[in-house]
Amino acid sequence: MPDVSATRAARPMSLPAATPESMGIPSGALSALVERLERLESDPHALAVARHGRVVARGAWAPYRLEDATLVYSLSKTFLAAAVAFAVEEGLMDLDAPIAQYFPEVEAPGRSAQMRVRDLLSMATGHEEDLVEPIFGPDPVAGLLAREPEHEPGTVFTYNQSGPFLLSAAITRLTGQRVGEYLRPRLFEPLGIGPRWWTQAGEADLGFTGLHARVGDILALGQTLLDGGSFGGARVLPEGWVDLASSVHIPTSPRPSPPDWQQGYGFLMWRSRHGFRADGACGQLCLVLPDEGLVVALTSATDDLQAELDAVWETLLPALAPASLAEDAPAQAALAQELARAEIPLAPASSNTPFAHGTMRPDGAGWTVDVDGLSFGVGSDDWRRTLVPVGSSVLPIAAQGRATGDGGWEATAVVTSSPHRMLLRALPGSSVVEVRWHVPPLRSDDLRLLAAPEWAAGE
């Protein structure tokens, strides 16, 4: 088991800091971005911005902290792509090899036997629909390869989870290590990333999702991509990989989608109207803008990623200067104060249908809530933290509540290992609690996918 103290002591950011103005960014533009994200109700959780390799802004919205590693959903795929890059460099994988070659014991009918590594990286397996359920079945690889694509591999773009999972399983087969283990000496340690948790299916990390990472990890990855695979002046990713992976390998425009999803797809990365990006469901973003020397890392909980991208394009990009600006101490202080007081709102429960009911009771320090097999504390004037057992892992929950003007009660319970939070409400005079998700998890029926081992969940 990784050393807990070492995990907690790892720096939230591994890049040096500088004032925004010294990097050609007005502090007021960064404040405008923060305000825009909050006004859009995109529910930002952590933000880090770097230009020319220097961190110019960073902050977390309480109860999230910069040192919290949270589920980044499909942003995990770009970390997985790095693992494929190393496996190719080390002669273990071949971009033009059929993925079925790495599982000789599994029968792969017809077009399934033709799917190459590069087809999986570019979401061009030939399937018309995503395949997810076989991944959680008794034999994921056999279940996925049994589903023959409707089209020739390499000809049709369909965003999917099956290809990345097969890549993850192949790396485990070839190296005897899960992707996270394989990446530790090759990527994580060179980027200053400590031990991280990646949710598994069978012997393999999920690959397509499941990585729990800090916003500083995302920023470090983005900076490495911006610098062509180097970090801190040292080569990390194989020479030429970033150019290859960030190029368009298949068009995405034929399908109706927002503008930043119409720019084409690389190797487990999207092209954008500005630069390229890694992203994940519910608003996890790593934006890489080579022309501007800019990297933006953002974790959040929203159903509208395009609105988040628009916020960056419209508030930050127009303000960038080609050279340093005069220092603006008042604007810098205002930005620092804004980020220091940032906090998740104690929002009342939405109109969504409750997914569970439970009970609440005063306990002297606030309240104790019991709901759907979970028991956690709720603070009355601060965020109260509880590690809630879920199977062999834990859900780190930070919760705060208050009495309402009508004599009822409401609270917000943030699962800090994920983008998600629960909204709780009890009617006047009642101890019965209705529980709703602010933004539901992708598989809300299985909370284990949000959980992490206690060593990785934080304090």
Side-chain angles (χ1 to χ4, degrees), residues 123-215:
M123 298 291 177
T125 63
H127 292 94
E128 291 183 353
E129 297 181 357
D130 192 5
L131 305 175
V132 177
E133 291 309 317
I135 295 172
F136 299 95
D139 191 342
V141 171
L144 292 173
L145 290 179
R147 305 286 186 90
E148 185 177 358
E150 294 84 358
H151 303 277
E152 291 295 323
T155 63
V156 176
F157 174 83
T158 298
Y159 192 81
N160 66 81
Q161 320 309 321
S162 57
F165 177 79
L166 287 171
L167 293 171
S168 175
I171 287 171
T172 297
R173 170 66 63 89
L174 294 166
T175 68
Q177 296 179 302
R178 295 189 299 273
V179 169
E181 297 172 322
Y182 181 65
L183 283 178
R184 182 175 298 175
R186 294 166 175 83
L187 184 72
F188 290 174
E189 291 177 359
L191 269 56
I193 299 174
R196 295 292 181 261
W197 169 247
W198 208 318
T199 307
Q200 301 152 23
E203 296 179 353
D205 289 338
L206 285 175
F208 64 92
T209 186
L211 177 63
H212 291 66
R214 296 175 176 178
V215 71

Side-chain angles (χ1 to χ4, degrees), residues 367 375-378 383-389 394-399 414 416 457-459:
W367 301 268
S375 181
F376 54 88
V378 178
W383 295 98
R384 189 170 167 190
R385 298 179 185 272
T386 310
L387 294 180
V388 182
V394 295
L395 287 178
I397 294 179
V414 179
T416 58
E459 298 172 347

